[in-house]
Amino acid sequence: MPSRTRPDACPGVLATHEAADGPLARVRLPGGRLRAEQGRLLADCADELGDGAVHLTSRGNLQLRAVRDTEELAERLSHAGLLPSAGHDRVRNVLASPLSGLHGGSADVRPLVAALDEAVRSSDELADLPGRFLLAVDDGRGDVACEGADACWRATSPLEGALLLDGADTGLRVPASAAASALVELALAFQRVRGRAWRVGELDDEGRAAVLDSARPLARRVEPARLPLSGPPPVGTYGRVVVAAAPFGRLRATVLRSLGELVVTPWRTLVVTGVAGQRLADMGLVVDPEAPSLRVSACIGSPGCAKSRSDVRADATAVLDLGVRAHFSGCERRCGRPREPHVDVLADEGGYRVEGNLVPTAELGNALKGRL
């Protein structure tokens, strides 16, 4: 078990992070769902209190940067239902299949997300969970089941699902009606045995066994299986909804106001209902699954981050059309890097290290073309 010597500094609305461009506030959206009126309020907050945009995270949440009045922000978000419990601000970390109930999947997990969030907020003990602890509910297609959740319920039929612990099938099968209770029991057991661990993967065998035992009364036992994974839904149209990408996960407030109800995904995309794909493209969102810009990602870089050695997003923009899957990082933390294979582009003195080899910034294009 790791011996943590520093506190968990995962930001929230009430405990912001002091970035180089000012306070950063993270707004939790269990399951990624955002009502239209909440989106409009967030857009107003971004314009009036922040940098004019909301920033998508890899956990389906939103961030506001350069916040000028954190108390005013918290008050506005609370009134909008985006901060329903001050004590649970940082622990409402719930991923869900973003197309669930809209297109495909074995089960509609949206009611389960709501029940799970309510159960987490009802537990005083869970208010002390680490801000990195992650729960997930997968509607059977296998999209969020592979996103590194500490505990996940994955539908195997409309009425039952598999419990996964740290991404692995436990062999426990839990009815959909008991899924929220089972996940809460796992979280409570983790809180009781974790010591200084922040994630289930940091527990020893005894700790993992104790966590797993907590859910057995709600489950039946089968042989663990290798369940198929699907990965994220590509951008494009799915029936009456559109999956669209915001370049570098930055969504301008003016665009957010026009989107209505949406789902924020853990892949920095949006599921939008009731807005045509062409209109979204006219707003600057990416709806073409073949767009080369979808293959390039980057951390916030400078001037937003004091640790960054370069304005990585500006340099990444210059090579967007190459079609190389690459991630630009301003420092060795490599924030926001994707899970899938990619070219590692790390800012360094004199340019960038492309897979470890120093390349002047002016020659980045040629270096990346060699990776096609």
Side-chain angles (χ1 to χ4, degrees):
M1 186 178 298
S3 179
R4 302 276 189 193
T5 57
R6 60 185 177 87
D8 180 6
C10 199
V13 174
L14 300 177
T16 56
H17 167 68
E18 287 298 324
D21 55 353
L24 177 154
R26 182 171 299 163
V27 184
R28 263 71 177 185
L29 303 176
R33 296 186 69 186
L34 187 70
R35 300 195 306 270
E37 66 273 17
Q38 292 175 326
R40 290 191 293 269
L41 178 132
L42 274 173
D44 290 343
C45 289
D47 269 342
E48 298 166 14
L49 302 174
D51 68 352
V54 295
H55 302 260
L56 284 60
T57 80
S58 60
R59 288 190 164 192
N61 296 318
L62 296 175
Q63 293 183 160
L64 296 175
R65 301 190 65 95
V67 177
R68 293 185 286 278
D69 189 333
T70 57
E71 292 185 2
E72 174 68 15
L73 176 65
E75 183 176 350
R76 293 192 191 187
L77 296 183
S78 181
H79 286 316
L82 290 167
L83 183 61
S85 169
H88 297 79
D89 176 21
R90 301 192 304 161
V91 302
R92 300 170 63 233
N93 299 306
V94 181
L95 295 185
S97 299
L99 289 175
S100 189
L102 301 171
H103 183 85
S106 299
D108 184 352
V109 299
R110 292 176 297 180
L112 171 54
V113 172
L116 180 57
D117 181 43
E118 182 178 0
V120 168
R121 288 186 283 110
S122 298
S123 170
D124 292 339
E125 189 174 353
L126 290 183
D128 293 325
L129 272 175
R132 289 168 175 77
F133 189 86
L134 181 62
L135 299 170
V137 286
D138 190 300
D139 69 0
R141 72 187 78 211
D143 51 2
V144 297
C146 56
E147 287 301 305
D150 294 277
C152 173
W153 182 87
R154 173 180 171 159
T156 53
S157 75
L159 299 177
E160 188 178 62
L163 275 187
L164 280 61
L165 199 63
D166 193 27
D169 183 16
T170 63
L172 297 182
R173 298 296 181 263
V174 175
S177 59
S181 297
L183 290 172
V184 166
E185 288 301 320
L186 292 172
L188 285 167
F190 171 78
Q191 177 65 6
R192 292 163 187 162
V193 304
R194 72 181 183 90
R196 294 183 177 179
W198 287 347
R199 306 296 305 275
V200 164
E202 298 170 358
L203 294 177
D204 57 22
D205 291 344
E206 182 179 352
R208 290 171 67 93
V211 171
L212 191 57
D213 284 345
S214 68
R216 292 188 191 277
L218 299 170
R220 68 182 183 92
R221 177 75 180 176
V222 302
E223 283 298 315
R226 185 180 294 275
L227 301 170
L229 303 174
S230 69
V235 303
T237 300
Y238 297 80
R240 60 189 179 91
V241 301
V242 179
V243 176
F248 299 121
R250 185 180 187 274
L251 184 65
R252 290 180 293 117
T254 52
V255 174
L256 178 58
R257 285 193 189 90
S258 305
L259 297 183
E261 182 175 341
L262 54 85
V263 179
V264 182
T265 83
W267 307 287
R268 294 186 173 87
T269 57
L270 304 168
V271 178
V272 185
T273 303
V275 184
Q278 184 55 57
R279 184 182 172 199
L280 295 174
D282 292 342
M283 295 179 190
L285 299 178
V286 181
V287 296
D288 177 5
E290 301 301 321
S293 61
L294 293 173
R295 302 177 65 83
V296 180
S297 56
C299 69
I300 194 66
S302 61
C305 177
K307 294 182 181 295
S308 180
R309 303 186 186 101
S310 182
D311 185 348
V312 295
R313 292 194 171 183
D315 294 331
T317 299
V319 298
L320 282 182
D321 293 336
L322 293 180
V324 179
R325 186 171 296 282
H327 181 71
F328 283 65
S329 303
C331 74
E332 284 75 10
R333 292 185 302 172
R334 293 176 170 84
C335 295
R337 61 179 170 178
R339 289 179 173 271
E340 63 266 22
H342 61 276
V343 178
D344 181 56
V345 185
L346 175 65
D348 204 343
E349 296 298 329
Y352 286 84
R353 293 200 175 273
V354 179
E355 294 294 336
N357 299 313
L358 186 61
V359 175
T361 302
E363 298 178 16
L364 262 180
N366 290 332
L368 291 174
K369 283 180 183 177
R371 300 281 175 171
L372 285 170

